[in-house]
Amino acid sequence: MSQATNLLRQTREELVKEERNKYKLKTIPGLKQVLAGHSSVMKVLENNNRLQDGYYGMVINLFSCPDQMFTAVDETAGMKLFNHVVETDKIATELMAELNRRKLPGVFNFMPLNRIRPRQFDYSMVDGQDAFPIIEKLEYEEDLEGIISFVFGKTLVCRNMDTVVRLARSSKLDCITLDGEKGSSKGVLSGGYVSLERNKMANYDRYQLAVGKLGDVTTEIEHYEGEMVKLEQEMVFMTKEVEKFQNLLAKNEGSLSKLIADCKMMMESGEDLKKKCVEEEQRLGEMTTDRKLMEATLSGLRTELDVDMNSQLSLEEKNLCEVLVKKIEKTKSGYKKRIREKDELEREKFAIESKMVGMRKDEEELCSEVSKLGKRDREVEKAKLDLDNVTEQMVKEKERLAVAMAKECKLDEEVKSLQSEEERKEKKLSKLKETLGEDSMNKEKLFEKKIHLQKSIQKLSQKVNSLGGVQPEMLERYKNAKRTLLGKELQKINQKLKDFDNVNKKALEQFVTFTEENERLVDRLNQMTEDKTRILNMINVLDTKKSEQILYTFKQLYKNFKQMFSRIVPGGRGELILTGETVGLTDADRMESATGLTTSVSFTGDQAMKNLDQLSGGQKSVVALAFILAIQQCDPAPFYLFDEVDAALDIEHRRAIAAVIHGQAGDAQFITTTFRPEMLRHADQCFGVLFRGKASHVVPVTREEADDFVQETAIQQ
């Protein structure tokens, strides 16, 4: 279990190393977006077999070459190495349409085989010792010869720079050395040191190896996961075995407790027997001493027996002798009985000792079994801990997998809903286009009809105007008359009017009209005179208020500029100065007579004050920003747009400007474009501007991606 865990840890460390190699590849200028584009193309091709059949891959994947050719190949092809080769331009168009529809990131350059027309180059004047066509060292499939010839066919690899100059002039081909020094057919020479760490071929080769290792590591992880499943099964089996051993251990512990109790009882009985044996031995010793004394006495008596006792003994002595003989016989019989009892006790002692030896052996065997069971318990506990660790890891992995599957299902549902919504909207759009076409046609017809009616109205209006003024009684009289009747009446009236051709028929109406117009104009003149007087008074009041407001604003701006400049330039001083004749005038008169506004600043505080013309470009930018931010404190705008205002500033001033903008961002919105990292540290939101499809696209990015972009820009510079 621990070995599997160590292997998983090692594979994760290898994955981290390969990710670092991939990051190095992305730091090469331009390759980050190219690799992102390759990933996007692979996503489009995942579920489209028709596009997969017409896609060959990037140029760099279609050939192989020796390692010493990497620099020459890299300098010859450049970014063409990462162009996508497709079968036809139709497939390229479909891929681009799908990429734009999904709004996938990256840079995409396609090379359709049906549009490639490779040229045939003459290599007859090339000496194989000093130079050779670069295409000869490339290994590729025959059906891709056209695209390889298109990219590398015009280039020769030369031994040194002298050969490059000579062959570039004579062969009209581009020449290059193995170190990357180039000479074009037009006579342009270029070269210099080319770092292998920045070599796209070498880095991409390492990237491919990393991808292969990644696949191997993935298979290893899957293999280890299978082994983990097996280990889990083994752990289940071991758990069952442990339960069996625990049951057996419980039984053995019960029997062991019984044996221990029996041993204690036997030991207690043995102690009692030992005590009895000691007592009997003491009694035996006493009896032995008595026996020796009696034997001594017996020997004395036997010597005396040899002498005729009856002749020497009296009657009492004879009686006493008989009593002693009886007592001796009785003592002998008691002695024999004690010896038999001693023998029986010794036999019992030997039997008990043999039983105790057997029980000690049983006790030792049980102790060894107990120690073995203790070792097994420890092994089982260790296995349980390993099983718990592995189970926790498996649970975590399953939870992650479940979350990922749930996210994937949710995204699939969202994609399906978006696709259905898109189809519904497309149908609706087509219907709207049809109705719009019909409405446009109806609109054109109505417009033509409107023009025709307007022309008719104009003609009739001209005729009505030619008739002069019409009395209301006449209008009421001929309101419902027919057109033919009106025509006849008109002819009669025209005949009568011929007698009055030289008379002004509108004189009365004109007199009335001119009289009313005269009265209206007189009233208007009087009103305008009053308005003029009132406006002049208002202008004087406004001029006074304007002067006061301008003076107040200037004082506020003067104060804010002084404070803002000291915040941006610690230890510096800055002032705003009015230009023009201001000597001996009041503040209001100075504002009226002022012709402009200039600045006087000192960046160290102890130097003489300088005007704007004496400052450098970066110092002018600092003064301008301080002036804008001072105005922002007086009259805040909703938002400010700064376009690379920190380009000419040093690090301290950039940090100060970023801190000031961050401090004032609570009252207004600041939008800045920058290639410096100082502004990013205080930014609330970052956006990247990408150039794709001959158009710029603004997309939100994370702060890490913005930092990577700034670092890449710094590396390129």
Side-chain angles (χ1 to χ4, degrees):
M1 185 69 68
S2 59
Q3 291 179 356
T5 307
N6 293 329
L7 289 173
L8 284 172
R9 190 182 297 111
Q10 291 176 1
T11 53
R12 290 194 181 97
E13 291 175 356
E14 291 179 359
L15 283 174
V16 172
K17 291 180 181 178
E18 301 309 330
E19 288 294 331
R20 290 176 182 171
N21 293 332
K22 185 176 180 181
Y23 177 76
K24 289 182 180 178
L25 183 64
K26 287 185 177 180
T27 56
I28 298 176
L31 276 189
K32 182 177 181 180
Q33 295 297 326
V34 169
L35 293 177
H38 181 257
S39 300
S40 299
V41 171
M42 291 298 104
K43 289 180 181 177
V44 173
L45 295 175
E46 282 180 357
N47 300 320
N48 196 322
N49 295 327
R50 186 174 61 80
L51 293 179
Q52 287 180 5
D53 295 337
Y55 179 78
Y56 292 91
M58 292 191 296
V59 175
I60 196 171
N61 294 326
L62 302 180
F63 69 91
S64 61
C65 64
D67 294 348
Q68 58 269 24
M69 295 290 295
F70 278 177
T71 303
V73 170
D74 190 8
E75 294 296 322
T76 299
M79 293 304 294
K80 289 182 181 178
L81 290 170
F82 300 98
N83 289 355
H84 300 271
V85 180
V86 294
E87 187 174 1
T88 61
D89 51 353
K90 184 178 179 181
I91 292 176
T93 304
E94 292 180 3
L95 280 172
M96 284 299 299
E98 186 65 19
L99 289 168
N100 290 327
R101 187 183 68 81
R102 297 189 186 182
K103 296 182 180 180
L104 295 175
V107 175
F108 322 100
N109 293 310
F110 292 96
M111 299 178 71
L113 292 177
N114 64 332
R115 295 289 184 179
I116 300 298
R117 299 290 183 267
R119 294 168 53 192
Q120 298 295 329
F121 298 99
D122 185 14
Y123 304 124
S124 59
M125 63 181 67
V126 178
D127 185 5
Q129 296 180 354
D130 293 333
F132 57 86
I134 192 173
I135 198 171
E136 291 182 356
K137 299 298 181 179
L138 305 181
E139 297 180 1
Y140 52 88
E141 297 180 2
E142 293 181 359
D143 55 348
L144 299 174
E145 184 174 1
I147 195 71
I148 300 299
S149 177
F150 176 77
V151 178
F152 299 101
K154 196 181 176 182
T155 304
L156 301 176
V157 179
C158 302
R159 182 184 298 276
N160 50 37
M161 200 62 189
D162 295 334
T163 309
V164 168
V165 175
R166 177 172 56 82
L167 289 178
R169 292 176 180 174
S170 60
S171 64
K172 302 299 181 181
L173 298 174
D174 296 336
C175 299
I176 191 171
T177 64
L178 292 176
D179 295 330
E181 298 173 331
K182 295 166 40 176
S184 69
S185 58
K186 298 179 181 179
V188 179
L189 300 178
S190 62
Y193 174 72
V194 179
S195 175
L196 289 177
E197 293 183 356
R198 313 296 296 176
N199 188 287
K200 293 185 282 295
M201 282 289 295
N203 280 287
Y204 190 77
D205 189 40
R206 288 196 291 269
Y207 172 71
Q208 291 293 95
L209 291 175
V211 171
K213 287 183 179 179
L214 182 62
D216 295 338
V217 169
T218 305
T219 55
E220 287 182 3
I221 289 175
E222 292 176 354
H223 174 67
Y224 291 143
E225 287 178 351
E227 289 187 354
M228 294 283 283
V229 173
K230 293 180 180 178
L231 288 172
E232 287 181 355
Q233 295 175 354
E234 291 180 359
M235 289 302 295
V236 172
F237 177 74
M238 290 176 65
T239 305
K240 293 180 180 178
E241 292 293 325
V242 167
E243 291 178 355
K244 291 180 181 179
F245 283 122
Q246 286 178 349
N247 295 329
L248 182 60
L249 179 62
K251 293 179 181 179
N252 290 331
E253 285 178 352
S255 60
L256 180 62
S257 61
K258 291 179 181 180
L259 290 173
I260 290 171
D262 294 338
C263 287
K264 288 182 179 179
M265 291 176 65
M266 295 294 290
M267 290 175 70
E268 290 176 357
S269 61
E271 291 293 332
D272 294 336
L273 291 173
K274 284 181 180 179
K275 290 179 181 179
K276 290 181 179 180
C277 288
V278 170
E279 292 176 357
E280 295 295 330
E281 286 177 355
Q282 289 177 357
R283 290 173 62 187
L284 180 63
E286 291 176 356
M287 292 175 69
T288 304
T289 54
D290 292 338
R291 182 177 64 80
K292 289 180 180 179
L293 291 173
M294 292 177 74
E295 286 179 352
T297 305
L298 180 63
S299 61
L301 292 173
R302 283 178 178 174
T303 55
E304 289 179 359
L305 286 174
D306 293 334
V307 182
D308 188 7
M309 291 181 65
N310 294 323
S311 60
Q312 296 179 359
L313 294 176
S314 61
L315 182 61
E316 292 178 0
E317 289 176 351
K318 287 180 179 179
N319 293 330
L320 181 61
C321 183
E322 289 177 359
V323 171
L324 288 173
V325 170
K326 290 179 180 179
K327 191 175 182 179
I328 289 168
E329 290 178 356
K330 186 178 180 180
T331 303
K332 285 181 179 180
S333 62
Y335 175 71
K336 291 179 181 180
K337 184 178 180 182
R338 295 296 180 187
I339 288 173
R340 286 194 297 271
E341 289 179 356
K342 178 186 175 185
D343 292 335
E344 290 178 358
L345 289 173
E346 285 180 353
R347 284 195 296 272
E348 289 179 0
K349 177 184 176 184
F350 289 142
I352 290 170
E353 286 179 352
S354 61
K355 285 183 180 180
M356 289 181 68
V357 169
M359 293 178 73
R360 284 196 184 99
K361 290 181 180 179
D362 294 336
E363 184 180 3
E364 290 176 356
E365 290 178 357
L366 289 172
C367 290
S368 62
E369 287 182 0
V370 169
S371 62
K372 289 180 181 179
L373 289 173
K375 290 181 180 179
R376 288 184 180 178
D377 289 336
R378 289 192 292 273
E379 291 177 356
V380 169
E381 291 295 330
K382 186 177 180 182
K384 284 183 178 179
L385 292 174
D386 293 338
L387 179 61
D388 292 337
N389 294 329
V390 174
T391 306
E392 290 178 359
Q393 293 178 0
M394 291 296 294
V395 169
K396 291 180 181 178
E397 295 297 330
K398 287 179 180 178
E399 290 177 354
R400 292 178 184 173
L401 181 62
V403 171
M405 292 293 289
K407 287 183 179 179
E408 184 178 2
C409 293
K410 187 176 180 182
L411 291 174
D412 290 338
E413 291 177 356
E414 290 179 357
V415 168
K416 290 180 180 178
S417 62
L418 289 173
Q419 287 177 352
S420 60
E421 184 70 18
E422 183 182 5
E423 291 176 356
R424 187 176 62 79
K425 288 185 177 181
E426 286 179 354
K427 291 179 181 179
K428 188 175 180 181
L429 181 62
S430 61
K431 291 181 180 179
L432 290 174
K433 286 181 179 179
E434 291 176 358
T435 54
L436 183 63
E438 294 176 357
D439 292 340
S440 61
M441 293 175 65
N442 295 330
K443 182 180 178 182
E444 291 176 357
K445 292 179 180 179
L446 292 173
F447 186 71
E448 292 176 356
K449 189 175 181 180
K450 179 182 177 183
I451 293 172
H452 178 69
L453 293 173
Q454 286 178 349
K455 290 180 179 179
S456 301
I457 291 170
Q458 288 177 358
K459 290 179 181 179
L460 293 173
S461 298
Q462 291 175 0
K463 290 181 180 180
V464 170
N465 292 330
S466 64
L467 294 175
V470 181
Q471 295 180 359
E473 294 81 3
M474 296 293 290
L475 290 173
E476 189 67 26
R477 178 180 176 185
Y478 295 103
K479 181 177 180 181
N480 298 322
K482 295 182 179 180
R483 190 169 183 176
T484 55
L485 180 61
L486 291 173
K488 291 178 180 180
E489 291 291 332
L490 182 62
Q491 288 178 0
K492 292 178 181 180
I493 292 171
N494 287 332
Q495 289 294 331
K496 292 179 180 181
L497 287 175
K498 286 181 181 180
D499 298 334
F500 303 98
D501 286 339
N502 297 324
V503 178
N504 186 5
K505 305 178 184 65
K506 298 182 180 180
L508 181 60
E509 293 179 0
Q510 289 178 354
F511 175 75
V512 174
T513 303
F514 290 155
T515 303
E516 292 176 354
E517 185 68 21
N518 183 39
E519 293 176 355
R520 188 177 62 80
L521 290 174
V522 170
D523 293 337
R524 187 176 178 185
L525 177 62
N526 295 330
Q527 185 179 359
M528 290 179 70
T529 304
E530 294 176 357
D531 291 341
K532 179 182 177 181
T533 304
R534 189 167 60 254
I535 288 169
L536 290 174
N537 294 331
M538 187 179 293
I539 288 172
N540 293 329
V541 173
L542 290 175
D543 286 339
T544 305
K545 289 184 177 180
K546 180 191 71 173
S547 300
E548 293 176 355
Q549 188 64 35
I550 291 174
L551 180 61
Y552 174 76
T553 303
F554 173 73
K555 289 180 179 179
Q556 292 294 320
L557 186 61
Y558 180 87
K559 177 183 176 183
N560 294 337
F561 179 78
K562 190 173 182 180
Q563 294 176 353
M564 188 60 63
F565 189 81
S566 61
R567 286 177 63 187
I568 296 175
V569 184
R573 294 185 294 114
E575 296 179 353
L576 293 177
I577 301 174
L578 294 172
T579 59
E581 297 180 1
T582 59
V583 180
L585 300 177
T586 62
D587 292 339
D589 294 336
R590 286 174 60 196
M591 293 302 301
E592 289 292 334
S593 61
T595 59
L597 189 66
T598 186
T599 60
S600 178
V601 298
S602 173
F603 278 80
T604 58
D606 54 356
Q607 294 180 352
M609 304 292 280
K610 298 180 181 180
N611 58 23
L612 200 61
D613 296 333
Q614 296 174 333
L615 301 178
S616 64
Q619 292 174 339
K620 289 180 180 179
S621 299
V622 172
V623 173
L625 287 170
F627 184 72
I628 292 171
L629 294 172
I631 293 174
Q632 193 259 345
Q633 288 184 337
C634 294
D635 186 15
F639 73 94
Y640 294 84
L641 179 61
F642 291 156
D643 185 13
E644 294 188 48
V645 295
D646 56 351
L649 304 182
D650 54 14
I651 295 176
E652 290 77 8
H653 290 158
R654 288 201 297 269
R655 289 175 180 170
I657 292 293
V660 170
I661 291 175
H662 181 68
Q664 297 188 198
D667 300 327
Q669 184 180 13
F670 288 85
I671 302 172
T672 64
T673 61
T674 183
F675 288 97
R676 308 294 183 185
E678 287 78 16
M679 287 290 184
L680 299 178
R681 294 172 185 167
H682 298 285
D684 296 326
Q685 181 67 42
C686 298
F687 294 89
V689 182
L690 305 178
F691 186 76
R692 185 175 67 192
K694 297 183 180 180
S696 297
H697 300 271
V698 179
V699 296
V701 297
T702 62
R703 185 167 295 176
E704 290 75 12
E705 293 175 343
D707 289 334
D708 293 341
F709 176 77
V710 170
Q711 291 177 2
E712 289 181 8
T713 306
I715 292 171
Q716 292 176 6
Q717 293 177 354

